Amino acid sequence: RVVQSGAEVKKPGASVKVSCKASGYNFTGYYMHWVRQAPGQGLEWMGWINPNSGDTNYAQQFQDRVTMTRDTSISTAYMELSRLRSDDTAVYYCASSMDVWGQGTTVTVSS
Amino acid sequence: DVVMTQSPLSLPVTLGQPASISCRSSQSLVHSDGNTYLNWFQQRPGQSPRRLIYKVSNRDSGVPDRFSGSGSGTDFTLKISRVEAEDVGVYYCMQSTHWSLTFGGGTKVEIK
């Protein structure tokens, strides 16, 4: 399973870092994806990280604002989004190999 | 990016009756390795998404056999043979053949 960090409230222009801790499987064996869902909207893929190598692949619309990292010693992946805007308000999910999903982390961006 | 178009947007279904959701891609989803990476996800109200089907027609572990996937190239279908109350939610197709991964807009399944 994967367990995500708790809800966050941020001001426009700030950054947020969401964590995703894996357990019960080989963390480094499966890509970790990040997907977000704005209120009442569909799913949007943000990118993935290969926990083994640290290689990343970001969706073009997030290229200049997102950073995905991992700490293999604690089987945890991180997604940091910078220069937050109000339209970044969403539930952010991590999903190991698109198969095992976290519970979601609500990020609210408001002044 | 590859555009994934689902229909219908909303699907009212009578319990015990079949349901069918269509997903079309703007480009062929056949990968250079010969596989077609088309997935289906279910999102029940208030829950995280759950993958049901991968590579067009392979059911994930624990997925009831009333769910089936089919299709090829650019046209794909998810079928529920007999809808149950627990099937209420939004269904998404997603392609992972081309970078970047893209989702369809979703189809809301509800009980009549």
Side-chain angles (χ1 to χ4, degrees):
Chain A
R1 59 182 295 208
V2 289
V3 178
Q4 299 183 222
S5 49
E8 303 263 11
V9 179
K10 296 290 183 181
K11 293 193 182 303
S15 297
V16 68
K17 191 170 186 177
V18 179
S19 68
C20 173
K21 182 171 177 59
S23 62
Y25 72 96
N26 177 16
F27 173 67
T28 57
Y30 303 91
Y31 286 15
M32 188 69 78
H33 296 259
W34 291 88
V35 175
R36 77 177 186 179
Q37 186 171 37
Q41 301 301 308
L43 302 172
E44 182 178 28
W45 180 77
M46 300 180 69
W48 55 248
I49 181 168
N50 178 340
N52 186 45
S53 64
D55 289 343
T56 56
N57 186 358
Y58 303 143
Q60 190 166 11
Q61 61 266 40
F62 299 106
Q63 283 275 356
D64 60 344
R65 295 199 297 138
V66 73
T67 304
M68 296 177 188
T69 57
R70 91 293 189 215
D71 184 337
T72 57
S73 69
I74 55 171
S75 299
T76 299
Y78 302 92
M79 186 283 300
E80 184 170 22
L81 190 62
S82 63
R83 302 195 303 278
L84 289 168
R85 309 183 293 249
S86 57
D87 62 359
D88 290 319
T89 294
V91 176
Y92 289 77
Y93 295 100
C94 60
S96 177
S97 193
M98 283 293 186
D99 182 16
V100 180
W101 290 66
Q103 81 277 20
T105 296
T106 299
V107 175
T108 303
V109 183
S110 174
S111 55
Chain B
D1 289 358
V2 177
V3 176
M4 306 297 288
T5 303
Q6 288 184 232
S7 62
L9 289 180
S10 177
L11 184 56
V13 187
T14 301
L15 287 174
Q17 293 300 302
S20 181
I21 300 170
S22 172
C23 175
R24 291 184 172 174
S25 58
S26 60
Q27 300 176 33
S28 172
L29 298 186
V30 180
H31 194 275
S32 56
D33 66 7
N35 290 305
T36 299
Y37 295 99
L38 186 282
N39 309 270
W40 289 96
F41 294 84
Q42 173 195 61
Q43 188 175 31
R44 292 170 171 155
Q47 295 188 13
S48 300
R50 166 200 184 193
R51 195 177 67 187
L52 300 175
I53 302 282
Y54 62 96
K55 287 196 287 185
V56 181
S57 60
N58 296 275
R59 271 191 304 276
D60 275 278
S61 175
V63 174
D65 61 6
R66 64 179 181 274
F67 290 93
S68 64
S70 63
S72 63
T74 61
D75 288 344
F76 304 93
T77 302
L78 175 71
K79 291 183 178 176
I80 310 174
S81 59
R82 296 173 305 279
V83 171
E84 298 188 5
E86 65 178 18
D87 299 336
V88 165
V90 182
Y91 291 77
Y92 297 92
C93 59
M94 185 207 79
Q95 68 82 21
S96 49
T97 293
H98 302 281
W99 180 88
S100 58
L101 280 63
T102 45
F103 287 92
T107 294
K108 186 174 184 178
V109 171
E110 56 189 11
I111 304 301
K112 279 183 185 175

Short mmCIF file of all heavy atoms in Angstrom, two decimals, chain B residues 37-100:
data_model
loop_
_atom_site.label_atom_id
_atom_site.label_comp_id
_atom_site.label_asym_id
_atom_site.label_seq_id
_atom_site.Cartn_x
_atom_site.Cartn_y
_atom_site.Cartn_z
N TYR B 37 -1.29 -0.17 -24.79
CA TYR B 37 -1.36 0.19 -23.37
C TYR B 37 -2.57 1.07 -23.10
O TYR B 37 -2.48 2.28 -22.87
CB TYR B 37 -0.06 0.87 -22.94
CG TYR B 37 1.12 -0.07 -23.02
CD1 TYR B 37 1.99 -0.05 -24.11
CD2 TYR B 37 1.36 -0.99 -21.99
CE1 TYR B 37 3.06 -0.94 -24.20
CE2 TYR B 37 2.43 -1.87 -22.07
CZ TYR B 37 3.28 -1.85 -23.17
OH TYR B 37 4.33 -2.72 -23.24
N LEU B 38 -3.72 0.41 -23.08
CA LEU B 38 -4.98 1.08 -22.79
C LEU B 38 -5.52 0.50 -21.49
O LEU B 38 -5.67 -0.72 -21.36
CB LEU B 38 -5.99 0.88 -23.93
CG LEU B 38 -7.34 1.61 -23.91
CD1 LEU B 38 -8.34 0.96 -22.97
CD2 LEU B 38 -7.18 3.09 -23.56
N ASN B 39 -5.78 1.38 -20.53
CA ASN B 39 -6.22 0.98 -19.19
C ASN B 39 -7.59 1.57 -18.88
O ASN B 39 -7.96 2.61 -19.42
CB ASN B 39 -5.23 1.51 -18.14
CG ASN B 39 -3.79 1.16 -18.45
OD1 ASN B 39 -3.29 0.13 -18.04
ND2 ASN B 39 -3.11 2.03 -19.18
N TRP B 40 -8.29 0.91 -17.99
CA TRP B 40 -9.57 1.43 -17.48
C TRP B 40 -9.50 1.53 -15.96
O TRP B 40 -9.01 0.62 -15.29
CB TRP B 40 -10.73 0.52 -17.86
CG TRP B 40 -11.08 0.53 -19.32
CD1 TRP B 40 -10.68 -0.33 -20.29
CD2 TRP B 40 -11.95 1.48 -19.96
NE1 TRP B 40 -11.22 0.02 -21.50
CE2 TRP B 40 -12.02 1.11 -21.33
CE3 TRP B 40 -12.68 2.59 -19.53
CZ2 TRP B 40 -12.78 1.82 -22.26
CZ3 TRP B 40 -13.44 3.29 -20.45
CH2 TRP B 40 -13.49 2.91 -21.80
N PHE B 41 -10.04 2.65 -15.45
CA PHE B 41 -10.06 2.89 -14.02
C PHE B 41 -11.50 3.16 -13.57
O PHE B 41 -12.30 3.73 -14.31
CB PHE B 41 -9.20 4.12 -13.65
CG PHE B 41 -7.73 3.91 -13.89
CD1 PHE B 41 -7.19 4.12 -15.16
CD2 PHE B 41 -6.90 3.50 -12.87
CE1 PHE B 41 -5.84 3.93 -15.39
CE2 PHE B 41 -5.54 3.32 -13.10
CZ PHE B 41 -5.02 3.51 -14.36
N GLN B 42 -11.76 2.77 -12.35
CA GLN B 42 -13.04 3.05 -11.70
C GLN B 42 -12.77 3.98 -10.52
O GLN B 42 -11.83 3.75 -9.76
CB GLN B 42 -13.66 1.76 -11.18
CG GLN B 42 -14.92 1.92 -10.34
CD GLN B 42 -15.25 0.65 -9.57
OE1 GLN B 42 -14.48 0.18 -8.74
NE2 GLN B 42 -16.40 0.06 -9.88
N GLN B 43 -13.58 5.01 -10.37
CA GLN B 43 -13.49 5.87 -9.19
C GLN B 43 -14.86 5.96 -8.54
O GLN B 43 -15.75 6.65 -9.06
CB GLN B 43 -12.95 7.26 -9.52
CG GLN B 43 -12.67 8.09 -8.27
CD GLN B 43 -12.02 9.43 -8.56
OE1 GLN B 43 -12.26 10.03 -9.60
NE2 GLN B 43 -11.21 9.91 -7.63
N ARG B 44 -15.03 5.23 -7.45
CA ARG B 44 -16.27 5.31 -6.70
C ARG B 44 -16.34 6.65 -5.96
O ARG B 44 -15.29 7.25 -5.68
CB ARG B 44 -16.36 4.16 -5.71
CG ARG B 44 -16.52 2.79 -6.36
CD ARG B 44 -16.36 1.69 -5.36
NE ARG B 44 -16.72 0.38 -5.90
CZ ARG B 44 -16.23 -0.76 -5.41
NH1 ARG B 44 -15.38 -0.74 -4.40
NH2 ARG B 44 -16.63 -1.91 -5.94
N PRO B 45 -17.54 7.11 -5.63
CA PRO B 45 -17.68 8.40 -4.93
C PRO B 45 -16.83 8.46 -3.67
O PRO B 45 -16.88 7.55 -2.82
CB PRO B 45 -19.17 8.45 -4.61
CG PRO B 45 -19.81 7.62 -5.66
CD PRO B 45 -18.85 6.50 -5.93
N GLY B 46 -16.02 9.52 -3.57
CA GLY B 46 -15.21 9.74 -2.38
C GLY B 46 -13.99 8.84 -2.25
O GLY B 46 -13.32 8.87 -1.21
N GLN B 47 -13.69 8.05 -3.29
CA GLN B 47 -12.56 7.13 -3.20
C GLN B 47 -11.47 7.47 -4.22
O GLN B 47 -11.70 8.23 -5.16
CB GLN B 47 -13.03 5.69 -3.42
CG GLN B 47 -13.95 5.17 -2.34
CD GLN B 47 -14.22 3.68 -2.50
OE1 GLN B 47 -13.55 2.97 -3.26
NE2 GLN B 47 -15.21 3.19 -1.77
N SER B 48 -10.30 6.87 -4.02
CA SER B 48 -9.23 6.97 -5.00
C SER B 48 -9.57 6.11 -6.20
O SER B 48 -10.33 5.14 -6.10
CB SER B 48 -7.91 6.47 -4.39
OG SER B 48 -7.55 7.23 -3.25
N PRO B 49 -9.01 6.44 -7.36
CA PRO B 49 -9.21 5.57 -8.53
C PRO B 49 -8.64 4.18 -8.28
O PRO B 49 -7.74 4.00 -7.45
CB PRO B 49 -8.44 6.31 -9.63
CG PRO B 49 -8.37 7.73 -9.18
CD PRO B 49 -8.25 7.66 -7.68
N ARG B 50 -9.17 3.24 -9.03
CA ARG B 50 -8.73 1.84 -8.94
C ARG B 50 -8.64 1.32 -10.37
O ARG B 50 -9.56 1.50 -11.16
CB ARG B 50 -9.78 1.03 -8.17
CG ARG B 50 -9.66 -0.49 -8.27
CD ARG B 50 -11.00 -1.11 -7.89
NE ARG B 50 -10.96 -2.58 -7.87
CZ ARG B 50 -12.05 -3.34 -7.82
NH1 ARG B 50 -13.24 -2.80 -7.76
NH2 ARG B 50 -11.93 -4.66 -7.80
N ARG B 51 -7.50 0.72 -10.70
CA ARG B 51 -7.40 0.17 -12.05
C ARG B 51 -8.18 -1.13 -12.15
O ARG B 51 -8.07 -2.00 -11.30
CB ARG B 51 -5.94 -0.07 -12.44
CG ARG B 51 -5.74 -0.27 -13.94
CD ARG B 51 -4.29 -0.44 -14.29
NE ARG B 51 -3.75 -1.69 -13.75
CZ ARG B 51 -2.46 -2.02 -13.79
NH1 ARG B 51 -1.58 -1.19 -14.33
NH2 ARG B 51 -2.06 -3.16 -13.28
N LEU B 52 -8.97 -1.24 -13.22
CA LEU B 52 -9.76 -2.45 -13.48
C LEU B 52 -9.12 -3.33 -14.56
O LEU B 52 -9.09 -4.56 -14.44
CB LEU B 52 -11.16 -2.07 -13.96
CG LEU B 52 -12.05 -1.23 -13.05
CD1 LEU B 52 -13.34 -0.89 -13.79
CD2 LEU B 52 -12.34 -1.97 -11.75
N ILE B 53 -8.67 -2.66 -15.62
CA ILE B 53 -8.22 -3.34 -16.83
C ILE B 53 -6.91 -2.70 -17.29
O ILE B 53 -6.77 -1.47 -17.27
CB ILE B 53 -9.26 -3.18 -17.97
CG1 ILE B 53 -10.63 -3.72 -17.57
CG2 ILE B 53 -8.76 -3.81 -19.27
CD1 ILE B 53 -10.77 -5.21 -17.62
N TYR B 54 -5.96 -3.54 -17.71
CA TYR B 54 -4.73 -3.04 -18.31
C TYR B 54 -4.49 -3.74 -19.64
O TYR B 54 -4.98 -4.86 -19.86
CB TYR B 54 -3.54 -3.20 -17.37
CG TYR B 54 -3.21 -4.63 -17.01
CD1 TYR B 54 -2.23 -5.34 -17.70
CD2 TYR B 54 -3.88 -5.27 -15.96
CE1 TYR B 54 -1.93 -6.64 -17.37
CE2 TYR B 54 -3.59 -6.57 -15.63
CZ TYR B 54 -2.61 -7.26 -16.33
OH TYR B 54 -2.32 -8.57 -16.01
N LYS B 55 -3.74 -3.11 -20.50
CA LYS B 55 -3.47 -3.62 -21.86
C LYS B 55 -4.74 -4.15 -22.50
O LYS B 55 -4.83 -5.30 -22.92
CB LYS B 55 -2.36 -4.67 -21.82
CG LYS B 55 -0.99 -4.05 -21.57
CD LYS B 55 0.17 -4.97 -21.90
CE LYS B 55 0.35 -6.06 -20.88
NZ LYS B 55 1.55 -6.87 -21.14
N VAL B 56 -5.73 -3.28 -22.56
CA VAL B 56 -7.00 -3.46 -23.28
C VAL B 56 -7.97 -4.41 -22.60
O VAL B 56 -9.14 -4.07 -22.42
CB VAL B 56 -6.77 -3.94 -24.74
CG1 VAL B 56 -8.11 -4.09 -25.47
CG2 VAL B 56 -5.85 -2.98 -25.49
N SER B 57 -7.50 -5.60 -22.22
CA SER B 57 -8.47 -6.62 -21.84
C SER B 57 -8.07 -7.46 -20.62
O SER B 57 -8.77 -8.44 -20.30
CB SER B 57 -8.69 -7.56 -23.03
OG SER B 57 -7.46 -8.17 -23.40
N ASN B 58 -7.00 -7.10 -19.94
CA ASN B 58 -6.53 -7.88 -18.79
C ASN B 58 -7.09 -7.32 -17.49
O ASN B 58 -6.82 -6.16 -17.15
CB ASN B 58 -5.00 -7.86 -18.75
CG ASN B 58 -4.38 -8.54 -19.95
OD1 ASN B 58 -4.21 -9.74 -20.00
ND2 ASN B 58 -4.07 -7.74 -20.97
N ARG B 59 -7.86 -8.14 -16.79
CA ARG B 59 -8.43 -7.69 -15.52
C ARG B 59 -7.39 -7.71 -14.42
O ARG B 59 -6.60 -8.66 -14.29
CB ARG B 59 -9.60 -8.59 -15.10
CG ARG B 59 -10.96 -8.16 -15.62
CD ARG B 59 -12.06 -8.95 -14.95
NE ARG B 59 -11.87 -10.39 -15.11
CZ ARG B 59 -12.26 -11.08 -16.17
NH1 ARG B 59 -12.87 -10.45 -17.17
NH2 ARG B 59 -12.05 -12.36 -16.24
N ASP B 60 -7.40 -6.68 -13.59
CA ASP B 60 -6.53 -6.66 -12.42
C ASP B 60 -7.04 -7.65 -11.38
O ASP B 60 -8.21 -8.05 -11.40
CB ASP B 60 -6.45 -5.25 -11.83
CG ASP B 60 -5.40 -4.40 -12.50
OD1 ASP B 60 -4.22 -4.53 -12.15
OD2 ASP B 60 -5.77 -3.61 -13.39
N SER B 61 -6.16 -8.01 -10.47
CA SER B 61 -6.50 -8.94 -9.42
C SER B 61 -7.68 -8.43 -8.60
O SER B 61 -7.71 -7.25 -8.21
CB SER B 61 -5.29 -9.16 -8.51
OG SER B 61 -5.60 -9.97 -7.41
N GLY B 62 -8.66 -9.29 -8.38
CA GLY B 62 -9.80 -8.93 -7.55
C GLY B 62 -10.93 -8.24 -8.29
O GLY B 62 -11.98 -7.96 -7.70
N VAL B 63 -10.74 -7.97 -9.56
CA VAL B 63 -11.79 -7.32 -10.36
C VAL B 63 -12.81 -8.37 -10.80
O VAL B 63 -12.43 -9.39 -11.39
CB VAL B 63 -11.19 -6.60 -11.58
CG1 VAL B 63 -12.30 -6.04 -12.48
CG2 VAL B 63 -10.25 -5.49 -11.11
N PRO B 64 -14.08 -8.14 -10.54
CA PRO B 64 -15.11 -9.13 -10.92
C PRO B 64 -15.11 -9.38 -12.41
O PRO B 64 -14.86 -8.48 -13.22
CB PRO B 64 -16.41 -8.47 -10.47
CG PRO B 64 -16.02 -7.49 -9.42
CD PRO B 64 -14.67 -7.00 -9.81
N ASP B 65 -15.47 -10.62 -12.78
CA ASP B 65 -15.42 -10.96 -14.20
C ASP B 65 -16.60 -10.39 -14.99
O ASP B 65 -16.68 -10.60 -16.21
CB ASP B 65 -15.31 -12.47 -14.39
CG ASP B 65 -16.49 -13.23 -13.83
OD1 ASP B 65 -17.47 -12.59 -13.38
OD2 ASP B 65 -16.42 -14.47 -13.80
N ARG B 66 -17.48 -9.64 -14.34
CA ARG B 66 -18.52 -8.94 -15.11
C ARG B 66 -17.94 -7.73 -15.86
O ARG B 66 -18.60 -7.17 -16.73
CB ARG B 66 -19.67 -8.49 -14.21
CG ARG B 66 -19.32 -7.47 -13.16
CD ARG B 66 -20.59 -7.10 -12.35
NE ARG B 66 -20.30 -6.10 -11.33
CZ ARG B 66 -19.85 -6.40 -10.12
NH1 ARG B 66 -19.65 -7.65 -9.79
NH2 ARG B 66 -19.61 -5.43 -9.23
N PHE B 67 -16.71 -7.34 -15.51
CA PHE B 67 -16.02 -6.27 -16.22
C PHE B 67 -15.15 -6.88 -17.32
O PHE B 67 -14.38 -7.80 -17.07
CB PHE B 67 -15.12 -5.45 -15.28
CG PHE B 67 -15.86 -4.61 -14.31
CD1 PHE B 67 -16.14 -5.08 -13.03
CD2 PHE B 67 -16.28 -3.33 -14.65
CE1 PHE B 67 -16.84 -4.30 -12.11
CE2 PHE B 67 -16.96 -2.54 -13.74
CZ PHE B 67 -17.25 -3.03 -12.47
N SER B 68 -15.26 -6.33 -18.52
CA SER B 68 -14.40 -6.79 -19.61
C SER B 68 -14.01 -5.62 -20.50
O SER B 68 -14.77 -4.66 -20.66
CB SER B 68 -15.10 -7.87 -20.44
OG SER B 68 -16.26 -7.34 -21.06
N GLY B 69 -12.83 -5.73 -21.06
CA GLY B 69 -12.34 -4.70 -21.96
C GLY B 69 -12.03 -5.28 -23.32
O GLY B 69 -11.60 -6.45 -23.42
N SER B 70 -12.23 -4.49 -24.35
CA SER B 70 -11.95 -4.95 -25.71
C SER B 70 -11.55 -3.76 -26.57
O SER B 70 -11.65 -2.60 -26.14
CB SER B 70 -13.16 -5.66 -26.30
OG SER B 70 -14.26 -4.76 -26.41
N GLY B 71 -11.14 -4.05 -27.79
CA GLY B 71 -10.81 -3.00 -28.73
C GLY B 71 -9.43 -3.14 -29.30
O GLY B 71 -8.67 -4.04 -28.93
N SER B 72 -9.11 -2.23 -30.20
CA SER B 72 -7.80 -2.23 -30.83
C SER B 72 -7.56 -0.89 -31.52
O SER B 72 -8.52 -0.16 -31.80
CB SER B 72 -7.68 -3.36 -31.86
OG SER B 72 -8.62 -3.17 -32.90
N GLY B 73 -6.31 -0.59 -31.77
CA GLY B 73 -5.97 0.63 -32.51
C GLY B 73 -6.36 1.91 -31.80
O GLY B 73 -5.62 2.40 -30.95
N THR B 74 -7.52 2.45 -32.18
CA THR B 74 -7.98 3.71 -31.60
C THR B 74 -9.35 3.59 -30.93
O THR B 74 -9.83 4.57 -30.35
CB THR B 74 -8.07 4.80 -32.67
OG1 THR B 74 -9.01 4.38 -33.67
CG2 THR B 74 -6.72 5.08 -33.33
N ASP B 75 -9.99 2.45 -31.00
CA ASP B 75 -11.35 2.28 -30.46
C ASP B 75 -11.39 1.18 -29.40
O ASP B 75 -11.04 0.03 -29.69
CB ASP B 75 -12.33 1.92 -31.58
CG ASP B 75 -12.62 3.10 -32.48
OD1 ASP B 75 -12.33 4.24 -32.08
OD2 ASP B 75 -13.15 2.88 -33.58
N PHE B 76 -11.90 1.54 -28.23
CA PHE B 76 -11.89 0.62 -27.10
C PHE B 76 -13.22 0.69 -26.35
O PHE B 76 -13.91 1.71 -26.40
CB PHE B 76 -10.72 0.95 -26.15
CG PHE B 76 -9.41 0.93 -26.87
CD1 PHE B 76 -8.89 2.11 -27.41
CD2 PHE B 76 -8.70 -0.24 -27.03
CE1 PHE B 76 -7.69 2.10 -28.10
CE2 PHE B 76 -7.49 -0.26 -27.71
CZ PHE B 76 -6.99 0.91 -28.25
N THR B 77 -13.54 -0.40 -25.68
CA THR B 77 -14.82 -0.48 -24.96
C THR B 77 -14.63 -1.18 -23.63
O THR B 77 -13.91 -2.18 -23.53
CB THR B 77 -15.84 -1.28 -25.79
OG1 THR B 77 -16.01 -0.64 -27.06
CG2 THR B 77 -17.18 -1.33 -25.08
N LEU B 78 -15.29 -0.64 -22.61
CA LEU B 78 -15.41 -1.30 -21.32
C LEU B 78 -16.86 -1.75 -21.18
O LEU B 78 -17.77 -0.94 -21.38
CB LEU B 78 -15.05 -0.37 -20.17
CG LEU B 78 -15.25 -0.94 -18.76
CD1 LEU B 78 -14.21 -2.02 -18.47
CD2 LEU B 78 -15.17 0.17 -17.70
N LYS B 79 -17.05 -3.02 -20.85
CA LYS B 79 -18.41 -3.53 -20.68
C LYS B 79 -18.59 -4.08 -19.27
O LYS B 79 -17.68 -4.71 -18.71
CB LYS B 79 -18.70 -4.63 -21.72
CG LYS B 79 -18.80 -4.09 -23.13
CD LYS B 79 -19.16 -5.18 -24.13
CE LYS B 79 -19.29 -4.59 -25.53
NZ LYS B 79 -19.56 -5.63 -26.56
N ILE B 80 -19.75 -3.81 -18.73
CA ILE B 80 -20.17 -4.41 -17.47
C ILE B 80 -21.36 -5.29 -17.84
O ILE B 80 -22.38 -4.80 -18.34
CB ILE B 80 -20.59 -3.35 -16.43
CG1 ILE B 80 -19.51 -2.26 -16.29
CG2 ILE B 80 -20.83 -4.03 -15.08
CD1 ILE B 80 -19.92 -1.10 -15.39
N SER B 81 -21.24 -6.58 -17.61
CA SER B 81 -22.26 -7.51 -18.10
C SER B 81 -23.59 -7.35 -17.36
O SER B 81 -24.65 -7.41 -17.97
CB SER B 81 -21.76 -8.95 -18.00
OG SER B 81 -21.45 -9.26 -16.65
N ARG B 82 -23.51 -7.15 -16.05
CA ARG B 82 -24.71 -6.96 -15.23
C ARG B 82 -24.34 -5.96 -14.13
O ARG B 82 -23.60 -6.29 -13.21
CB ARG B 82 -25.18 -8.27 -14.60
CG ARG B 82 -25.64 -9.33 -15.59
CD ARG B 82 -25.92 -10.66 -14.88
NE ARG B 82 -24.78 -11.12 -14.10
CZ ARG B 82 -23.74 -11.74 -14.61
NH1 ARG B 82 -23.67 -11.97 -15.92
NH2 ARG B 82 -22.73 -12.14 -13.83
N VAL B 83 -24.87 -4.77 -14.24
CA VAL B 83 -24.49 -3.70 -13.31
C VAL B 83 -25.02 -3.98 -11.90
O VAL B 83 -26.19 -4.35 -11.72
CB VAL B 83 -24.99 -2.34 -13.82
CG1 VAL B 83 -24.79 -1.25 -12.77
CG2 VAL B 83 -24.27 -1.96 -15.10
N GLU B 84 -24.13 -3.81 -10.93
CA GLU B 84 -24.50 -3.92 -9.52
C GLU B 84 -24.39 -2.54 -8.86
O GLU B 84 -23.74 -1.64 -9.39
CB GLU B 84 -23.60 -4.93 -8.82
CG GLU B 84 -23.71 -6.34 -9.37
CD GLU B 84 -22.96 -7.37 -8.54
OE1 GLU B 84 -22.43 -7.00 -7.47
OE2 GLU B 84 -22.92 -8.54 -8.97
N ALA B 85 -25.00 -2.40 -7.70
CA ALA B 85 -25.03 -1.11 -7.01
C ALA B 85 -23.61 -0.59 -6.74
O ALA B 85 -23.36 0.63 -6.80
CB ALA B 85 -25.81 -1.22 -5.72
N GLU B 86 -22.68 -1.49 -6.45
CA GLU B 86 -21.31 -1.07 -6.14
C GLU B 86 -20.54 -0.57 -7.36
O GLU B 86 -19.41 -0.08 -7.22
CB GLU B 86 -20.54 -2.23 -5.51
CG GLU B 86 -20.31 -3.41 -6.43
CD GLU B 86 -19.50 -4.51 -5.76
OE1 GLU B 86 -19.41 -4.51 -4.52
OE2 GLU B 86 -18.95 -5.36 -6.49
N ASP B 87 -21.13 -0.67 -8.54
CA ASP B 87 -20.44 -0.22 -9.76
C ASP B 87 -20.66 1.27 -10.02
O ASP B 87 -20.09 1.82 -10.98
CB ASP B 87 -20.92 -1.02 -10.97
CG ASP B 87 -20.64 -2.51 -10.83
OD1 ASP B 87 -19.72 -2.87 -10.07
OD2 ASP B 87 -21.37 -3.32 -11.46
N VAL B 88 -21.47 1.91 -9.21
CA VAL B 88 -21.72 3.35 -9.37
C VAL B 88 -20.41 4.12 -9.19
O VAL B 88 -19.65 3.87 -8.25
CB VAL B 88 -22.77 3.83 -8.36
CG1 VAL B 88 -22.78 5.34 -8.24
CG2 VAL B 88 -24.14 3.31 -8.74
N GLY B 89 -20.16 5.05 -10.10
CA GLY B 89 -18.94 5.85 -10.02
C GLY B 89 -18.58 6.38 -11.39
O GLY B 89 -19.39 6.34 -12.32
N VAL B 90 -17.37 6.91 -11.49
CA VAL B 90 -16.88 7.43 -12.76
C VAL B 90 -15.79 6.52 -13.29
O VAL B 90 -14.91 6.09 -12.54
CB VAL B 90 -16.34 8.87 -12.59
CG1 VAL B 90 -15.88 9.42 -13.94
CG2 VAL B 90 -17.42 9.77 -11.99
N TYR B 91 -15.87 6.24 -14.57
CA TYR B 91 -14.92 5.35 -15.23
C TYR B 91 -14.07 6.16 -16.21
O TYR B 91 -14.59 6.98 -16.97
CB TYR B 91 -15.66 4.23 -15.96
CG TYR B 91 -16.32 3.27 -14.98
CD1 TYR B 91 -17.51 3.63 -14.35
CD2 TYR B 91 -15.75 2.05 -14.68
CE1 TYR B 91 -18.11 2.77 -13.43
CE2 TYR B 91 -16.33 1.18 -13.76
CZ TYR B 91 -17.51 1.56 -13.14
OH TYR B 91 -18.10 0.72 -12.22
N TYR B 92 -12.77 5.90 -16.16
CA TYR B 92 -11.82 6.61 -17.00
C TYR B 92 -10.99 5.62 -17.82
O TYR B 92 -10.51 4.62 -17.29
CB TYR B 92 -10.84 7.44 -16.17
CG TYR B 92 -11.44 8.54 -15.34
CD1 TYR B 92 -11.82 8.31 -14.02
CD2 TYR B 92 -11.61 9.81 -15.86
CE1 TYR B 92 -12.37 9.32 -13.24
CE2 TYR B 92 -12.14 10.84 -15.09
CZ TYR B 92 -12.53 10.57 -13.78
OH TYR B 92 -13.06 11.58 -13.02
N CYS B 93 -10.81 5.93 -19.10
CA CYS B 93 -9.78 5.22 -19.85
C CYS B 93 -8.50 6.05 -19.79
O CYS B 93 -8.54 7.26 -19.54
CB CYS B 93 -10.20 4.97 -21.29
SG CYS B 93 -10.58 6.44 -22.29
N MET B 94 -7.37 5.39 -19.98
CA MET B 94 -6.09 6.08 -19.94
C MET B 94 -5.12 5.35 -20.85
O MET B 94 -5.05 4.11 -20.83
CB MET B 94 -5.52 6.08 -18.52
CG MET B 94 -4.23 6.88 -18.37
SD MET B 94 -3.18 6.28 -17.04
CE MET B 94 -2.41 4.86 -17.81
N GLN B 95 -4.39 6.12 -21.65
CA GLN B 95 -3.38 5.49 -22.50
C GLN B 95 -2.00 5.74 -21.92
O GLN B 95 -1.69 6.82 -21.42
CB GLN B 95 -3.48 6.01 -23.94
CG GLN B 95 -3.09 7.46 -24.16
CD GLN B 95 -1.59 7.68 -24.27
OE1 GLN B 95 -0.81 6.77 -24.58
NE2 GLN B 95 -1.15 8.91 -24.00
N SER B 96 -1.17 4.69 -21.98
CA SER B 96 0.22 4.83 -21.53
C SER B 96 1.17 4.34 -22.62
O SER B 96 2.30 3.95 -22.33
CB SER B 96 0.44 4.09 -20.20
OG SER B 96 -0.06 2.77 -20.26
N THR B 97 0.70 4.38 -23.86
CA THR B 97 1.56 4.05 -24.99
C THR B 97 2.47 5.20 -25.34
O THR B 97 3.65 5.04 -25.62
CB THR B 97 0.70 3.68 -26.22
OG1 THR B 97 0.00 2.47 -25.95
CG2 THR B 97 1.55 3.54 -27.48
N HIS B 98 1.89 6.40 -25.36
CA HIS B 98 2.61 7.60 -25.79
C HIS B 98 2.90 8.49 -24.59
O HIS B 98 2.11 8.60 -23.66
CB HIS B 98 1.77 8.39 -26.80
CG HIS B 98 1.39 7.61 -28.01
ND1 HIS B 98 2.26 7.39 -29.06
CD2 HIS B 98 0.23 6.98 -28.34
CE1 HIS B 98 1.65 6.68 -29.98
NE2 HIS B 98 0.42 6.41 -29.58
N TRP B 99 4.08 9.15 -24.62
CA TRP B 99 4.36 10.18 -23.62
C TRP B 99 3.66 11.43 -24.06
O TRP B 99 3.75 11.81 -25.22
CB TRP B 99 5.87 10.41 -23.55
CG TRP B 99 6.25 11.47 -22.55
CD1 TRP B 99 6.50 11.29 -21.25
CD2 TRP B 99 6.38 12.87 -22.81
NE1 TRP B 99 6.79 12.50 -20.67
CE2 TRP B 99 6.73 13.48 -21.59
CE3 TRP B 99 6.25 13.66 -23.94
CZ2 TRP B 99 6.94 14.85 -21.47
CZ3 TRP B 99 6.45 15.04 -23.84
CH2 TRP B 99 6.80 15.61 -22.61
N SER B 100 2.95 12.17 -23.25
CA SER B 100 2.68 11.83 -21.88
C SER B 100 1.39 11.02 -21.75
O SER B 100 0.57 11.00 -22.67
CB SER B 100 2.57 13.11 -21.05
OG SER B 100 1.56 13.94 -21.55
#
